[in-house]
Structures are given as C-alpha cells and as structure tokens.
Amino acid sequence: MAGIPQVSLSSCEKPMPVIGLGTSSYPPADIETTKTAILEAIKAGYRHFDTAFAYGSEKHLGEAIAEALRLGLIKSRDELFITTKLWCSFAQRDQIVPACKMSLENLKLDYVDLYLIHCPVRLSEMIQKTPVVKEIIHPLDVKGVWEGMEECKNLGLTKAIGVSNFSCKMLEEVLSVAKIPPAINQVEMNPVWQQKHLREFCKTKGIHITAYSPLGANNTKWGDNRIIENDVLADIAKAREKTTAQVALRWVYEQGVSLVTKSYNKERMKENLQIFDWSLTGEELDKITKLPQRKGVTLASILGPHDLVLQLDAEV
Ligand SMILES: NC(=O)C1=CN([C@@H]2O[C@H](COP(=O)(O)OP(=O)(O)OC[C@H]3O[C@@H](n4cnc5c(N)ncnc54)[C@H](OP(=O)(O)O)[C@@H]3O)[C@@H](O)[C@H]2O)C=CC1
Ligand SMILES: O=C[C@H](O)[C@@H](O)[C@@H](O)[C@H](O)C(=O)O
C-alpha cells in the first residue's frame, strides 16, 4: 500500500492525512463493533478518524484509541488526527467550550485535532433524534459561536477549528468576524455532487474542503446507491481493474480535497485506502466531470423541511 498523503491546514501545525475513517454508521453500531472496526482500521494504516457528538461514537472511538495504545498499534495519541463536531443543541457562545470539553471526556482525550460546527443552525433543545420540530430551529449567531470555537483553540482543546455544511454565504459571515479563519469546511462531495462553486470559493479563501459521503452513503438512511451503482464509474472501474468505490474516492482525492469515508468491513476499509498509487486519465476525469449532478444529503432531509432549513439548503 502506498503511504497516505497529508495536507496542511491553515492555523494548524499538525498535518492531516487526506483520508479519514468516518464513524457515522447506520443503524448505529454498538461499541464492540465500532471498536473492532477502528482497531482494524489502525492496523490497515488509517490515522485520521471522524466523529461527532451527534453520532454517539465518541466514546467508542475513545476506547478504541486507548486499546490501540495498550496493544502498541500506535506509540502515542499524537500519531492520530481526530475530528469531532459541535452539535447544534450547543451552538451558543457560552455552551461551546463546555460542549468541546464534554466531547473530550467522551473521547478520553486532552485535545482533538479538529473541532467543527456540525451544521449552520442552532437547536434550542438538547435533541439528537432527527427530524426536529420547527419551533426549536434558529439561525446561528455566527459571531458568538465562532468566538466560542476560537476560545476552544486558544485553550488548546483543539488544534484547528472549522465548519461543516456551510455555504459560501455562511462562510463569508464567519470570515467577516473571524480572528482565526476556519481551516476546513466538511461537506458532501462525490462524483454526482461535485461542489465546483464551493470548492472555487474555498480555494480563494484558504479553506480546505473535506468530502463526506464520498461513496454516496449507500446503505444508510441519509444516502443511496447512486455512486456504487453508477454505470460510468463502474465502466471506468472495470477498465482499470479497480472497484467503483475506488474510482469515486480517487476522483474526490484528485480534486485536491481530503475525504472521510466509513467502512466497518475489514476488506472494504483496506480497499478504500488503495487509491494513492494510480491515477485517472484525462478522458476518465472528463467523463466523471460530465455526470449529472444531484445533492444527496440535504439539511431538510435530516432536520425536516422547515423554512430556515430549506433556505440554507437553497444556498449550497
Ligand atoms: N459533517 C456532516 O454533516 C457529515 C459527516 N459525515 C462523515 O463522513 C463519513 C463518511 O460518510 P458516510 O455518510 O458514512 O458515507 P460514505 O459515502 O463513506 O459511505 C458509507 C457506506 O458505504 C459502504 N462502503 C464503504 N466502503 C465501501 C466499498 N468499498 N464498497 C461498497 N460499499 C462501501 C459502507 O458500508 P460498510 O461499513 O459495510 O463497508 C457504508 O454503508 C461519516 O461516517 C461521517 O463521519 C457523513 C455525513 C454527514
Ligand atoms: O439521521 C441521520 C444521521 O444521524 C445523519 O444526520 C448524520 O449521520 C449526518 O448525516 C452526519 O453524519 O453528520
């Protein structure tokens, strides 16, 4: 296996491996399954893990890290790049540092490498089960929330801060108040949702993009088989003796972004790492660029089709 390339982020001294293992599983996996998968992933070479308060996988990941250290799979926690996310129910100035500390407690870590605002809305109730009723959805107080995120970084609770599911418009708002600009915007991106406009915008602002659901989140309630069963990708895969998943992941990587993809299957997680010692031809890239575009994960499909949510979806 070729080594995993790394990318440097703004305002962060630690580089990030360009591929990370996602830990949002459907249906939510139990602790043993998750721990076993993460340990297998570490053995396979993964060093970057993506979790969120909302996934309920922080504790599982924390236990897996502790076990990996006990087993000597890694010598130090510093060898890992760990991302977690501020849930919308804690998206208020004075709740952010405590929410970050709660995640660190779940993870049994002193710091995370990256802390992201999960979604550009605030929920006025502690709720993890979605969709939610419209009365509890509110616009984000961008200034207050970003100050809270900056405080997390200044306190050393996280090495870098960023956002997720933010449009160009929302990013402009963050940039207009930020002392520390967001290092990352984590968004859905794959061959059928290529995010050209957002990518161009982020490039000019020095914000790195991480692609989530690069395989279209097949077999989850928020995704489908539009990538895994895409004929164009399948034809390229056949001709190149790769899998459709590898073609999709390689395409994402070749766009200069990083990616987080989830597999708890030992063979598939290894398969997903085998994308760094070959490349797509100009003709193959061209065919993929021309694929019809359709957003898969909308905020409305998660939070419910409420006015504010639909408005935010329309901005992306
Ligand atoms: N910030 C945000 O709002 C969001 C962030 N994320 C993050 O991104 C991560 C990845 O995105 P996710 O939505 O999980 O979707 P992915 O596109 O990574 O797809 C995951 C699904 O694909 C399957 N799979 C994995 N590898 C292969 C393969 N080689 N061939 C066929 N099927 C495969 C997995 O099943 P199996 O395990 O059985 O292999 C799983 O069902 C999440 O886990 C989460 O950490 C995701 C959504 C939103
Ligand atoms: O309800 C569905 C799931 O929890 C979904 O909201 C999350 O997995 C989200 O897509 C994410 O990963 O950030």
Side-chain angles (χ1 to χ4, degrees), residues 94-255:
D94 58 349
Q95 291 178 305
I96 295 164
V97 167
C100 186
K101 286 184 175 165
M102 188 159 61
S103 286
L104 290 175
E105 208 169 291
N106 285 338
L107 285 157
K108 297 198 192 74
L109 295 178
D110 299 330
Y111 69 90
V112 285
D113 297 284
L114 178 63
Y115 196 43
L116 303 176
I117 302 176
H118 202 146
C119 288
V121 290
R122 175 173 77 85
L123 299 180
S124 51
E125 275 176 33
M126 177 47 223
I127 219 149
Q128 260 172 285
K129 205 170 146 35
T130 54
V132 302
V133 293
K134 78 166 188 302
E135 288 72 24
I136 70 163
I137 304 185
H138 310 276
L140 205 62
D141 161 24
V142 171
K143 188 170 184 297
V145 171
W146 194 250
E147 257 175 36
M149 296 295 285
E150 290 176 330
E151 192 182 351
C152 292
K153 177 162 161 66
N154 291 334
L155 288 171
L157 306 178
T158 181
K159 302 259 181 228
I161 49 177
V163 298
S164 179
N165 299 303
F166 272 45
S167 62
C168 301
K169 185 165 174 267
M170 288 295 297
L171 285 171
E172 288 279 22
E173 282 189 45
V174 177
L175 290 167
S176 73
V177 296
K179 295 191 186 76
I180 306 168
I184 279 196
N185 188 15
Q186 184 184 108
V187 293
E188 180 190 6
M189 181 183 152
N190 54 48
V192 303
W193 191 243
Q194 300 185 1
Q195 296 275 24
K196 275 193 204 127
H197 175 60
L198 184 68
R199 278 196 276 137
E200 274 160 27
F201 176 85
C202 285
K203 202 168 177 187
T204 64
K205 304 291 179 187
I207 301 170
H208 179 76
I209 294 249
T210 297
Y212 75 65
S213 305
L215 301 175
N218 60 310
N219 295 331
T220 72
K221 76 168 173 186
W222 60 92
D224 58 34
N225 59 6
R226 66 198 184 284
I227 300 290
I228 290 297
E229 293 185 7
N230 182 286
D231 292 341
V232 172
L233 300 177
D235 286 348
I236 296 172
K238 197 163 167 221
R240 299 299 302 273
E241 298 185 342
K242 303 291 174 195
T243 65
T244 306
Q246 287 172 326
V247 170
L249 297 177
R250 177 72 203 183
W251 177 85
V252 170
Y253 169 63
E254 285 193 26
Q255 309 316 302

Side-chain angles (χ1 to χ4, degrees), residues 58-124:
E58 288 178 328
K59 280 194 178 149
H60 308 9
L61 176 57
E63 288 205 11
I65 296 170
E67 183 73 5
L69 284 165
R70 265 196 300 275
L71 294 172
L73 298 178
I74 47 169
K75 288 195 186 64
S76 141
R77 174 265 175 269
D78 297 351
E79 291 170 32
L80 302 178
F81 192 100
I82 305 295
T83 301
T84 194
K85 312 187 191 90
L86 173 83
W87 182 234
C88 312
S89 300
F90 309 123
Q92 277 202 117
R93 174 68 185 94
D94 58 349
Q95 291 178 305
I96 295 164
V97 167
C100 186
K101 286 184 175 165
M102 188 159 61
S103 286
L104 290 175
E105 208 169 291
N106 285 338
L107 285 157
K108 297 198 192 74
L109 295 178
D110 299 330
Y111 69 90
V112 285
D113 297 284
L114 178 63
Y115 196 43
L116 303 176
I117 302 176
H118 202 146
C119 288
V121 290
R122 175 173 77 85
L123 299 180
S124 51

